[in-house]
PDB file of all heavy atoms in Angstrom:
ATOM      1  N   ALA A  69      17.292  41.047  22.573  1.00  0.00           N
ATOM      2  CA  ALA A  69      16.094  41.333  23.370  1.00  0.00           C
ATOM      3  C   ALA A  69      14.872  40.641  22.776  1.00  0.00           C
ATOM      4  O   ALA A  69      13.965  40.244  23.501  1.00  0.00           O
ATOM      5  CB  ALA A  69      15.860  42.831  23.464  1.00  0.00           C
ATOM      6  N   ALA A  70      14.849  40.490  21.478  1.00  0.00           N
ATOM      7  CA  ALA A  70      13.717  39.817  20.842  1.00  0.00           C
ATOM      8  C   ALA A  70      13.746  38.311  21.081  1.00  0.00           C
ATOM      9  O   ALA A  70      12.724  37.652  20.971  1.00  0.00           O
ATOM     10  CB  ALA A  70      13.724  40.095  19.344  1.00  0.00           C
ATOM     11  N   GLN A  71      14.920  37.780  21.425  1.00  0.00           N
ATOM     12  CA  GLN A  71      15.052  36.335  21.612  1.00  0.00           C
ATOM     13  C   GLN A  71      15.018  35.911  23.071  1.00  0.00           C
ATOM     14  O   GLN A  71      14.750  34.760  23.367  1.00  0.00           O
ATOM     15  CB  GLN A  71      16.368  35.863  20.979  1.00  0.00           C
ATOM     16  CG  GLN A  71      16.399  36.072  19.484  1.00  0.00           C
ATOM     17  CD  GLN A  71      17.777  35.817  18.879  1.00  0.00           C
ATOM     18  OE1 GLN A  71      18.761  35.670  19.583  1.00  0.00           O
ATOM     19  NE2 GLN A  71      17.835  35.784  17.569  1.00  0.00           N
ATOM     20  N   THR A  72      15.328  36.817  23.993  1.00  0.00           N
ATOM     21  CA  THR A  72      15.345  36.471  25.419  1.00  0.00           C
ATOM     22  C   THR A  72      14.588  37.529  26.207  1.00  0.00           C
ATOM     23  O   THR A  72      14.370  38.636  25.738  1.00  0.00           O
ATOM     24  CB  THR A  72      16.785  36.400  25.967  1.00  0.00           C
ATOM     25  OG1 THR A  72      17.354  37.697  25.875  1.00  0.00           O
ATOM     26  CG2 THR A  72      17.629  35.414  25.212  1.00  0.00           C
ATOM     27  N   TYR A  73      14.217  37.180  27.417  1.00  0.00           N
ATOM     28  CA  TYR A  73      13.524  38.145  28.275  1.00  0.00           C
ATOM     29  C   TYR A  73      14.442  38.723  29.354  1.00  0.00           C
ATOM     30  O   TYR A  73      14.198  39.803  29.858  1.00  0.00           O
ATOM     31  CB  TYR A  73      12.322  37.479  28.958  1.00  0.00           C
ATOM     32  CG  TYR A  73      11.235  37.141  27.991  1.00  0.00           C
ATOM     33  CD1 TYR A  73      10.989  35.825  27.640  1.00  0.00           C
ATOM     34  CD2 TYR A  73      10.455  38.135  27.412  1.00  0.00           C
ATOM     35  CE1 TYR A  73       9.993  35.513  26.742  1.00  0.00           C
ATOM     36  CE2 TYR A  73       9.458  37.822  26.506  1.00  0.00           C
ATOM     37  CZ  TYR A  73       9.232  36.513  26.179  1.00  0.00           C
ATOM     38  OH  TYR A  73       8.253  36.204  25.287  1.00  0.00           O
ATOM     39  N   ASN A  74      15.493  38.014  29.718  1.00  0.00           N
ATOM     40  CA  ASN A  74      16.326  38.434  30.840  1.00  0.00           C
ATOM     41  C   ASN A  74      17.596  39.166  30.441  1.00  0.00           C
ATOM     42  O   ASN A  74      17.977  40.140  31.066  1.00  0.00           O
ATOM     43  CB  ASN A  74      16.707  37.215  31.694  1.00  0.00           C
ATOM     44  CG  ASN A  74      15.507  36.539  32.292  1.00  0.00           C
ATOM     45  OD1 ASN A  74      14.504  37.181  32.578  1.00  0.00           O
ATOM     46  ND2 ASN A  74      15.580  35.233  32.481  1.00  0.00           N
ATOM     47  N   ASP A  75      18.282  38.673  29.446  1.00  0.00           N
ATOM     48  CA  ASP A  75      19.587  39.217  29.077  1.00  0.00           C
ATOM     49  C   ASP A  75      19.496  39.933  27.734  1.00  0.00           C
ATOM     50  O   ASP A  75      18.463  39.979  27.116  1.00  0.00           O
ATOM     51  CB  ASP A  75      20.610  38.080  28.963  1.00  0.00           C
ATOM     52  CG  ASP A  75      20.753  37.321  30.254  1.00  0.00           C
ATOM     53  OD1 ASP A  75      20.687  37.967  31.312  1.00  0.00           O
ATOM     54  OD2 ASP A  75      20.929  36.093  30.204  1.00  0.00           O
ATOM     55  N   GLY A  76      20.633  40.485  27.335  1.00  0.00           N
ATOM     56  CA  GLY A  76      20.666  40.925  25.962  1.00  0.00           C
ATOM     57  C   GLY A  76      21.227  42.291  25.677  1.00  0.00           C
ATOM     58  O   GLY A  76      21.727  42.508  24.600  1.00  0.00           O
ATOM     59  N   TYR A  77      21.145  43.227  26.588  1.00  0.00           N
ATOM     60  CA  TYR A  77      21.610  44.561  26.238  1.00  0.00           C
ATOM     61  C   TYR A  77      23.124  44.628  26.271  1.00  0.00           C
ATOM     62  O   TYR A  77      23.764  44.235  27.232  1.00  0.00           O
ATOM     63  CB  TYR A  77      21.024  45.626  27.164  1.00  0.00           C
ATOM     64  CG  TYR A  77      19.574  45.869  26.884  1.00  0.00           C
ATOM     65  CD1 TYR A  77      18.600  45.385  27.735  1.00  0.00           C
ATOM     66  CD2 TYR A  77      19.179  46.569  25.760  1.00  0.00           C
ATOM     67  CE1 TYR A  77      17.273  45.581  27.474  1.00  0.00           C
ATOM     68  CE2 TYR A  77      17.852  46.778  25.482  1.00  0.00           C
ATOM     69  CZ  TYR A  77      16.902  46.282  26.341  1.00  0.00           C
ATOM     70  OH  TYR A  77      15.594  46.475  26.066  1.00  0.00           O
ATOM     71  N   ARG A  78      23.669  45.109  25.188  1.00  0.00           N
ATOM     72  CA  ARG A  78      25.099  45.361  25.104  1.00  0.00           C
ATOM     73  C   ARG A  78      25.244  46.870  24.953  1.00  0.00           C
ATOM     74  O   ARG A  78      24.977  47.424  23.884  1.00  0.00           O
ATOM     75  CB  ARG A  78      25.701  44.620  23.915  1.00  0.00           C
ATOM     76  CG  ARG A  78      27.219  44.705  23.871  1.00  0.00           C
ATOM     77  CD  ARG A  78      27.804  43.746  22.878  1.00  0.00           C
ATOM     78  NE  ARG A  78      27.487  44.153  21.512  1.00  0.00           N
ATOM     79  CZ  ARG A  78      27.774  43.424  20.447  1.00  0.00           C
ATOM     80  NH1 ARG A  78      28.340  42.247  20.574  1.00  0.00           N
ATOM     81  NH2 ARG A  78      27.469  43.860  19.248  1.00  0.00           N
ATOM     82  N   GLN A  79      25.617  47.497  26.040  1.00  0.00           N
ATOM     83  CA  GLN A  79      25.676  48.952  26.062  1.00  0.00           C
ATOM     84  C   GLN A  79      26.758  49.380  27.051  1.00  0.00           C
ATOM     85  O   GLN A  79      26.892  48.797  28.114  1.00  0.00           O
ATOM     86  CB  GLN A  79      24.317  49.494  26.489  1.00  0.00           C
ATOM     87  CG  GLN A  79      24.202  50.994  26.483  1.00  0.00           C
ATOM     88  CD  GLN A  79      22.851  51.427  27.003  1.00  0.00           C
ATOM     89  OE1 GLN A  79      22.634  51.437  28.206  1.00  0.00           O
ATOM     90  NE2 GLN A  79      21.953  51.743  26.105  1.00  0.00           N
ATOM     91  N   ASP A  80      27.495  50.400  26.681  1.00  0.00           N
ATOM     92  CA  ASP A  80      28.514  50.958  27.562  1.00  0.00           C
ATOM     93  C   ASP A  80      27.917  52.202  28.224  1.00  0.00           C
ATOM     94  O   ASP A  80      27.825  53.256  27.588  1.00  0.00           O
ATOM     95  CB  ASP A  80      29.751  51.310  26.742  1.00  0.00           C
ATOM     96  CG  ASP A  80      30.924  51.748  27.584  1.00  0.00           C
ATOM     97  OD1 ASP A  80      30.710  52.181  28.736  1.00  0.00           O
ATOM     98  OD2 ASP A  80      32.058  51.673  27.083  1.00  0.00           O
ATOM     99  N   PRO A  81      27.489  52.105  29.485  1.00  0.00           N
ATOM    100  CA  PRO A  81      26.809  53.233  30.135  1.00  0.00           C
ATOM    101  C   PRO A  81      27.653  54.502  30.197  1.00  0.00           C
ATOM    102  O   PRO A  81      27.133  55.608  30.037  1.00  0.00           O
ATOM    103  CB  PRO A  81      26.509  52.717  31.544  1.00  0.00           C
ATOM    104  CG  PRO A  81      26.632  51.258  31.476  1.00  0.00           C
ATOM    105  CD  PRO A  81      27.563  50.941  30.357  1.00  0.00           C
ATOM    106  N   GLU A  82      28.948  54.342  30.415  1.00  0.00           N
ATOM    107  CA  GLU A  82      29.817  55.518  30.488  1.00  0.00           C
ATOM    108  C   GLU A  82      29.883  56.229  29.132  1.00  0.00           C
ATOM    109  O   GLU A  82      29.789  57.450  29.064  1.00  0.00           O
ATOM    110  CB  GLU A  82      31.224  55.102  30.919  1.00  0.00           C
ATOM    111  CG  GLU A  82      32.145  56.280  31.157  1.00  0.00           C
ATOM    112  CD  GLU A  82      33.492  55.857  31.708  1.00  0.00           C
ATOM    113  OE1 GLU A  82      33.563  54.821  32.387  1.00  0.00           O
ATOM    114  OE2 GLU A  82      34.464  56.576  31.447  1.00  0.00           O
ATOM    115  N   ARG A  83      30.001  55.460  28.070  1.00  0.00           N
ATOM    116  CA  ARG A  83      30.026  56.060  26.728  1.00  0.00           C
ATOM    117  C   ARG A  83      28.672  56.658  26.361  1.00  0.00           C
ATOM    118  O   ARG A  83      28.610  57.657  25.646  1.00  0.00           O
ATOM    119  CB  ARG A  83      30.447  55.025  25.696  1.00  0.00           C
ATOM    120  CG  ARG A  83      31.910  54.649  25.809  1.00  0.00           C
ATOM    121  CD  ARG A  83      32.311  53.638  24.773  1.00  0.00           C
ATOM    122  NE  ARG A  83      32.542  54.308  23.493  1.00  0.00           N
ATOM    123  CZ  ARG A  83      32.776  53.664  22.368  1.00  0.00           C
ATOM    124  NH1 ARG A  83      32.792  52.347  22.338  1.00  0.00           N
ATOM    125  NH2 ARG A  83      32.971  54.328  21.256  1.00  0.00           N
ATOM    126  N   MET A  84      27.593  56.030  26.824  1.00  0.00           N
ATOM    127  CA  MET A  84      26.256  56.587  26.546  1.00  0.00           C
ATOM    128  C   MET A  84      26.139  57.993  27.127  1.00  0.00           C
ATOM    129  O   MET A  84      25.505  58.864  26.547  1.00  0.00           O
ATOM    130  CB  MET A  84      25.162  55.692  27.135  1.00  0.00           C
ATOM    131  CG  MET A  84      24.920  54.403  26.392  1.00  0.00           C
ATOM    132  SD  MET A  84      24.243  54.606  24.733  1.00  0.00           S
ATOM    133  CE  MET A  84      22.555  55.025  25.095  1.00  0.00           C
ATOM    134  N   PHE A  85      26.757  58.206  28.271  1.00  0.00           N
ATOM    135  CA  PHE A  85      26.677  59.501  28.947  1.00  0.00           C
ATOM    136  C   PHE A  85      27.675  60.504  28.368  1.00  0.00           C
ATOM    137  O   PHE A  85      27.367  61.672  28.200  1.00  0.00           O
ATOM    138  CB  PHE A  85      26.917  59.310  30.443  1.00  0.00           C
ATOM    139  CG  PHE A  85      26.814  60.579  31.231  1.00  0.00           C
ATOM    140  CD1 PHE A  85      25.593  61.204  31.423  1.00  0.00           C
ATOM    141  CD2 PHE A  85      27.949  61.169  31.768  1.00  0.00           C
ATOM    142  CE1 PHE A  85      25.499  62.388  32.137  1.00  0.00           C
ATOM    143  CE2 PHE A  85      27.867  62.348  32.498  1.00  0.00           C
ATOM    144  CZ  PHE A  85      26.642  62.960  32.671  1.00  0.00           C
ATOM    145  N   LYS A  86      28.889  60.040  28.046  1.00  0.00           N
ATOM    146  CA  LYS A  86      29.960  60.946  27.650  1.00  0.00           C
ATOM    147  C   LYS A  86      30.120  61.154  26.144  1.00  0.00           C
ATOM    148  O   LYS A  86      30.653  62.169  25.721  1.00  0.00           O
ATOM    149  CB  LYS A  86      31.297  60.455  28.214  1.00  0.00           C
ATOM    150  CG  LYS A  86      31.391  60.569  29.714  1.00  0.00           C
ATOM    151  CD  LYS A  86      32.760  60.140  30.196  1.00  0.00           C
ATOM    152  CE  LYS A  86      32.872  60.312  31.699  1.00  0.00           C
ATOM    153  NZ  LYS A  86      34.184  59.930  32.200  1.00  0.00           N
TER     154      LYS A  86
END
Side-chain angles (χ1 to χ4, degrees):
Q71 296 171 349
T72 64
Y73 291 108
N74 298 329
D75 301 323
Y77 287 105
R78 187 168 69 186
Q79 183 184 79
D80 187 338
E82 186 175 332
R83 289 181 80 187
M84 286 294 285
F85 182 70
K86 291 183 178 181

